[in-house]
Amino acid sequence: MTERDFVLNGDFEYPESGVVAWKAPSNIALVKYWGKKPNQIPANPSISFTLDACATTTSIEFSKLSEKSNTFSFDLFFEGKPKEDFKPKINTFFERIEKYVPFLKEYHFTIKTSNSFPHSSGIASSASGMAALALCLMTIEKRINPSLEDSYFKKKASFLSRLGSGSACRSIQGDLIQWGNYDAISESSNLLGVKYPFKVHPVFKNYHDTILLVHKGQKTVSSTVGHDLMHNHPFAKQRFAQAHLNLDRLKTIFEEGNLDNFVEVVESEALTLHAMMMTSLPYFMLMKPNTLEIINRIWEFRQKSKTHVCFTLDAGANVHVLYPESEKQEVFQFIQDELVVFCENGHYICDRIGNGAKEMRIKNNN
Ligand code: DP6
């Protein structure tokens, strides 16, 4: 599909008002997206587990303006309170997507959003937040154009959310989502996330992700700045090539269920991501001493216990501890006994691989 396929064209009658709502999950990348070209085009393909518990719920009430506005008209409430400082991000998102959803200036929107995880947990809500928002807009589009098909709906939701935050395009569906042009997957696209189409061994169903909240403060360097530093990065070319090779390796791993190899690819990807940060100019570091403590304990325990617990990291200090369902008792005990002590205020979140976003029922829906 091309960008043009996502423009809403036609003579439609716009509904006067209504309310829509979606709950969209977060996701954790196994092969990381780090580096992008203009228009939110990724420099390399990535793949992620969709999560289940970490999610954003967003509702939009829309009411038709008496005449089309020159600016975007919306109010924003976060966890029940007006939130002015989120507005510029949404305004930028609306600017980027306006040519695909031309009804944006026809309505006043009241956007209400909340996260299942604490705001100050250091967990980025941009993926789940942008995915939930894009899905709400797609439901409004569907009210305008009821003939819209389900598969197009999901594709366009992923396409739109990517323009809000790249990784958001992997938060529409579950449970394993690939984004970015990649030779082995013919339907892969730089424009949107697709469901991983090949065989996946049952060991990867129900995979667990316990998120250890090492540092809840603001990140010192945003993902946007980090992506930008991949331009002229001395190792960028090799890194982008490596992402393709790691996807190739994962294909065999997913097919055969080889967890030793899974651990190797996933941990190498996490450390490469942070190595890219540490070798950017200016260089920076988002891991904290407790991130390293946790990594070392995981390595020791894995050797001792012969389990397949491993870690991955996103662009921050928190550690995602991944393990299969069959090892959950042993690994969870280990997390409680040895790792929780490294979390800020002992806080962590138990999550697992999930099935994607869900539409929420709203009373007095019109
Ligand atoms: C390290 O999707 O947050 O989590 O497109 O600028 O919004 P923007 O970046 P974002 O980057 C996520 C980077 C990552 C890796 C990943 O999720 O693949």
Side-chain angles (χ1 to χ4, degrees):
M1 292 187 96
T2 69
E3 269 124 337
R4 236 178 300 143
D5 296 317
F6 294 112
V7 178
L8 172 67
N9 275 323
D11 224 357
F12 298 107
E13 205 170 308
Y14 287 176
E16 277 305 312
S17 63
V19 49
V20 296
W22 279 85
K23 181 177 182 180
S26 187
N27 69 75
I28 181 69
L30 305 172
V31 172
K32 308 290 181 182
Y33 148 57
W34 198 244
K36 60 177 159 181
K37 301 174 193 166
N39 295 326
Q40 297 283 100
I41 298 300
N44 65 264
S46 57
I47 192 163
S48 53
F49 278 153
T50 305
L51 295 179
D52 185 45
C54 287
T56 300
T57 302
T58 298
S59 68
I60 301 186
E61 284 170 50
F62 55 100
S63 54
K64 200 155 177 301
L65 298 166
S66 50
E67 60 186 78
K68 191 171 175 173
S69 158
N70 290 325
T71 53
F72 301 114
S73 169
F74 65 96
D75 296 314
L76 183 73
F77 295 85
F78 177 67
E79 317 219 297
K81 297 197 189 87
K83 189 83 179 164
E84 289 303 310
D85 43 330
F86 279 10
K87 285 179 107 174
K89 202 166 178 192
I90 295 192
N91 212 70
T92 306
F93 176 52
F94 282 177
E95 277 167 10
R96 287 186 192 163
I97 64 172
E98 193 188 2
K99 63 176 166 209
Y100 307 106
V101 275
F103 54 83
L104 288 180
K105 286 185 178 148
E106 302 282 352
Y107 287 102
H108 176 76
F109 299 112
T110 303
I111 305 169
K112 294 179 183 161
T113 184
S114 61
N115 294 331
S116 65
F117 45 89
H119 181 50
S120 59
S121 60
I123 295 192
S125 59
S126 60
S128 53
M130 287 297 170
L133 195 54
L135 284 157
C136 286
L137 294 175
M138 283 311 296
T139 300
I140 298 174
E141 179 167 327
K142 176 123 185 147
R143 302 246 173 115
I144 294 170
N145 175 21
S147 70
L148 207 142
E149 280 179 17
D150 191 46
S151 75
Y152 178 86
F153 182 102
K154 285 189 189 128
K155 281 187 186 140
K156 186 163 172 182
S158 178
F159 172 85
L160 294 178
S161 59
R162 184 196 99 247
L163 293 168
S165 176
S167 54
C169 77
R170 300 186 313 236
S171 271
I172 305 295
Q173 298 191 79
D175 47 358
L176 200 48
I177 302 293
Q178 191 273 327
W179 167 42
N181 289 349
Y182 168 55
D183 282 347
I185 299 182
S186 58
E187 57 272 50
S188 69
S189 166
N190 278 340
L191 302 181
L192 49 95
V194 297
K195 257 173 111 75
Y196 181 73
F198 304 123
K199 192 180 153 206
V200 180
H201 191 279
V203 76
F204 294 109
K205 297 284 158 197
N206 280 330
Y207 228 76
H208 290 261
D209 178 3
T210 301
I211 308 164
L212 305 179
L213 306 178
V214 170
H215 180 71
K216 301 193 198 168
Q218 276 274 318
K219 284 190 289 192
T220 45
V221 179
S222 72
S223 289
T224 308
V225 172
H227 284 292
D228 212 36
L229 291 172
M230 287 305 282
H231 294 292
N232 304 319
H233 190 291
F235 307 133
K237 203 166 155 227
Q238 297 93 317
R239 160 58 200 153
F240 300 147
Q242 180 200 37
H244 289 260
L245 295 176
N246 279 340
L247 273 163
D248 293 344
R249 282 196 72 190
L250 277 181
K251 183 169 184 287
T252 315
I253 291 167
F254 284 139
E255 209 168 286
E256 295 173 352
N258 185 326
L259 291 182
D260 292 329
N261 291 349
F262 178 75
V263 165
E264 193 174 276
V265 172
V266 167
E267 292 190 345
S268 159
E269 274 289 323
L271 293 179
T272 301
L273 169 70
H274 284 258
M276 291 299 113
M277 299 173 189
M278 289 190 258
T279 48
S280 297
L281 269 182
Y283 40 80
F284 62 105
M285 203 188 287
L286 297 180
M287 290 190 287
K288 298 280 176 197
N290 282 353
T291 312
L292 300 182
E293 289 285 358
I294 290 169
I295 291 174
N296 278 307
R297 304 287 155 133
I298 289 176
W299 285 342
E300 277 167 32
F301 176 78
R302 187 164 70 226
Q303 196 158 33
K304 229 172 33 198
S305 65
K306 306 279 178 259
T307 58
H308 299 88
V309 57
C310 72
F311 70 86
T312 188
L313 307 166
D314 54 18
N318 296 335
V319 182
H320 290 248
V321 185
L322 303 179
Y323 48 100
E325 172 78 11
S326 59
E327 297 175 359
K328 77 170 177 209
Q329 248 134 9
E330 206 177 343
V331 174
F332 191 61
Q333 194 63 52
F334 155 67
I335 291 173
Q336 283 178 313
D337 294 347
E338 290 194 43
L339 302 186
V340 169
V341 59
F342 299 113
C343 298
E344 201 173 320
N345 303 323
H347 287 169
Y348 61 92
I349 297 172
C350 290
D351 210 338
R352 57 165 67 203
I353 193 164
N355 291 321
K358 287 192 183 70
E359 187 168 5
M360 309 299 280
R361 274 169 205 276
I362 298 278
K363 284 187 210 136
N364 74 1
N365 207 351
N366 44 8

